Amino acid sequence: MKRMMVLAVLSAAPVFAAQAEESVAPLPAMNFTSSLAADQLYGLVKENPAFGSLEKNLVGSPIQLRITHTLQPTAGGMATGLLSAIWTGGTLGLLPMVTNNDLVLHYEVLVNGKSLVSYSFQRNFTRAVNIWKQDDPTYGLGDQGLAWARTTATDFAAQAARSAEMASLAREYAYFFGEAASKP
């Protein structure tokens, strides 16, 4: 008898998990900050229905979405970059400088300064950079790098909206601050 009950529960578990992934609960309002391509990444994350309450200027909010980036030079990239910088400097910038870095984008949702969920995306890029070009609409990433960064925003929003931690946050927020909480 116990075996049959356990099998029934185990066979029903994937159905409930699939239903939980499909439904995206609206998340509470949160402040948005980004160290890279803030306008573009903000728009892409906000397109996800769960992040509809995301705001750029929600100063003082206890819930924040923070996006940071780092460029980590690879071992070969450091040698190439040094040699390339010497050649570029020697030609007064006529030859472009070649860089090879790992771009890491880190998405983190903080509640009262503590990390609730965190996602990192990493990719390697090699670029030829003109040292005299002042205005770069790609934020120094190049077209490929910016296109990849944009895909990480939609990937993050989809993954975070389905996470158990974010669903728990939405339920807790609705319990304390939802319409039912304001009724006596």
Side-chain angles (χ1 to χ4, degrees), residues 40-182:
Q40 294 181 17
L41 296 180
Y42 170 77
L44 291 167
V45 172
K46 192 166 172 88
E47 284 178 4
N48 188 304
F51 288 92
S53 298
L54 188 66
E55 293 295 330
K56 281 186 180 180
N57 298 318
L58 197 58
V59 179
S61 172
I63 306 170
Q64 297 180 349
L65 169 57
R66 181 171 50 193
I67 304 171
T68 56
H69 77 285
T70 57
L71 286 172
Q72 301 170 343
T74 61
M78 289 177 66
T80 303
L82 178 62
L83 182 60
S84 178
I86 292 170
W87 281 103
T88 301
T91 62
L92 300 176
L94 293 176
L95 293 177
M97 187 169 78
V98 178
T99 61
N100 184 297
N101 297 312
D102 287 334
L103 172 62
V104 180
L105 285 175
H106 186 73
Y107 292 77
E108 187 172 28
V109 176
L110 302 162
V111 178
N112 290 327
K114 295 183 181 174
S115 180
L116 180 65
V117 294
S118 176
Y119 297 89
S120 290
F121 302 91
Q122 180 175 347
R123 189 160 178 196
N124 183 275
F125 291 100
T126 301
R127 294 194 57 225
V129 181
N130 182 339
I131 63 171
W132 297 111
K133 187 173 182 179
Q134 295 297 319
D135 55 339
D136 185 5
T138 64
Y139 309 97
L141 301 177
D143 293 332
Q144 289 179 337
L146 184 58
W148 175 78
R150 292 172 54 89
T151 64
T152 64
T154 54
D155 291 346
F156 157 76
Q159 290 175 19
R162 291 189 309 261
S163 75
E165 296 87 358
M166 295 298 281
S168 176
L169 174 66
R171 282 191 306 273
E172 183 176 349
Y173 191 84
Y175 177 79
F176 287 106
F177 303 107
E179 291 178 22
S182 62

